[in-house]
Amino acid sequence: MTEAKFSYEFSSEELKSLAHFLRTRQESLPRELFAFFRAVQDELYGRLSIDEVEKFCKNEIC
């Protein structure tokens, strides 16, 4: 299998929206996308303060 390279700079709002979108569909995500989902969450959490992560999780039901 050949690995594809892809690069895109997400804004914080795009990342929040994408994380929410993937989280709400987590149960139906193909297993091949789970690593992508984790990378999106890790990137988002790395950009936010602890307080912001807590607020995001409360609003988005982490």
Side-chain angles (χ1 to χ4, degrees):
M1 175 186 288
T2 304
E3 299 242 353
K5 300 258 182 198
F6 178 79
S7 178
Y8 182 84
E9 292 291 324
F10 292 96
S11 70
S12 292
E13 289 305 311
E14 287 174 321
L15 213 49
K16 286 178 187 177
S17 292
L18 184 57
H20 174 68
F21 178 84
L22 292 171
R23 185 179 302 125
T24 59
R25 290 156 181 82
Q26 183 175 349
E27 297 300 319
S28 62
L29 280 180
R31 64 181 172 86
E32 295 86 3
L33 292 180
F34 191 73
F36 175 71
F37 171 50
R38 295 293 302 177
V40 166
Q41 282 189 313
D42 291 347
E43 178 65 24
L44 176 62
Y45 297 160
R47 291 186 188 189
L48 301 176
S49 69
I50 292 173
D51 289 338
E52 289 172 321
V53 170
E54 288 176 356
K55 286 178 187 175
F56 180 76
C57 286
K58 285 178 186 175
N59 291 335
E60 304 297 337
I61 310 169
C62 285

